[in-house]
Amino acid sequence: MRASTIAYLCAVVPILSVHLTLILAIYFDNLSSCLPYWSHCHSISATGRQYPEFFFFKGLMIPVAGMMFVYWLFMQVWLNQLQLINRRSKISVIFGLVACVALVIYCVTLGAVGEPYALARRIGVVLFFALTSFAHLLLLACLSESAYLERTSAQNTRTLKTMCAFLLVIGLFSALLGFLWEGYDNWDNAFEWWFALLMMSQFYLVGRIWNDTEFHISFSLAQ
C-alpha cells in the first residue's frame, strides 16, 4: 500500500471531523451560528463538548490519533530508508508519537467536569499542537540534508518549508496580539482554527513527498 494514504487521512479526517461537529452543534442549538475562521466564534473544543456532537467528535478524533501514531511509525521507516536517521530525526518521531498520546488524553477528557479533567485537557491540547508542529519542523531540518529529495521532491519540500514558516508566524503573531491587544480575545479562537488547518496540511504535504519517493508499506506472512 502507498504510505501516503495514511498521511492524507491524517490531514483530511480531523478537518472534516471538527467541521462536522460544529455543524451538528449549531443544528442542535448547542452553539450559535458563526464563521469559525473569523472573530466572535467558538473554539474547536467547544464543538465537541455537548451531546450528541460529543460522540461524533470523540468517535472520529480518537481514531485520528491512532492514524497519526501509525504515520509517525511510517516516518521512522521512511527516514531510515533515506539514511536520515540521526538525533534530530529521532526526536522528531518521538515528538510526533507523544503528540498522538496527548491528543487521546485531550479527547478522553473533553466534556468531563472537574478541574483535574480541565487541566489534563489543557495539557493534552497544548502538547498536541506544539509537539506536532515542532516534529514537522525538525523533520524539515532533516530533509534539507537529503540530495535525493532535492532531486525527487523539491517543490513539495519547499511548500512544506513555507507551511512551517506560516505556522511559526501565526504562532508568534497570535502571542504578540494576546499580549498587546485587549480585543484579541474575540479573535483567539479564529487563530486556533487557522493554525489547526495549516498544521493538518503538513500531513498532506508529507504524503505528497512520500508519493514522490514512491514510499510503500507492505505486509507479508512467512510461508
Side-chain angles (χ1 to χ4, degrees), residues 188-214:
D188 188 21
N189 293 332
F191 272 94
E192 180 186 84
W193 282 85
W194 281 110
F195 191 92
L197 182 64
L198 293 175
M199 192 179 78
M200 291 304 107
S201 69
Q202 291 179 311
F203 291 95
Y204 171 77
L205 290 170
V206 170
R208 293 283 300 270
I209 295 172
W210 282 357
N211 266 342
D212 291 340
T213 59
E214 299 184 3

Side-chain angles (χ1 to χ4, degrees), residues 148-168:
Y148 171 70
L149 286 178
E150 185 62 31
R151 296 193 306 270
T152 58
S153 190
Q155 180 59 51
N156 286 318
T157 303
R158 284 195 296 269
T159 305
L160 182 60
K161 289 180 182 178
T162 303
M163 194 60 63
C164 287
F166 268 126
L167 283 171
L168 186 60

Side-chain angles (χ1 to χ4, degrees), residues 36-50:
Y37 297 96
W38 203 245
S39 66
H40 295 83
C41 201
H42 315 292
S43 67
I44 293 175
S45 296
T47 66
R49 287 196 185 119
Q50 301 183 68

Side-chain angles (χ1 to χ4, degrees), residues 115-127:
E115 182 55 32
Y117 296 109
L119 178 61
R121 185 165 59 248
R122 287 193 294 269
I123 292 174
V125 71
V126 168
L127 285 179

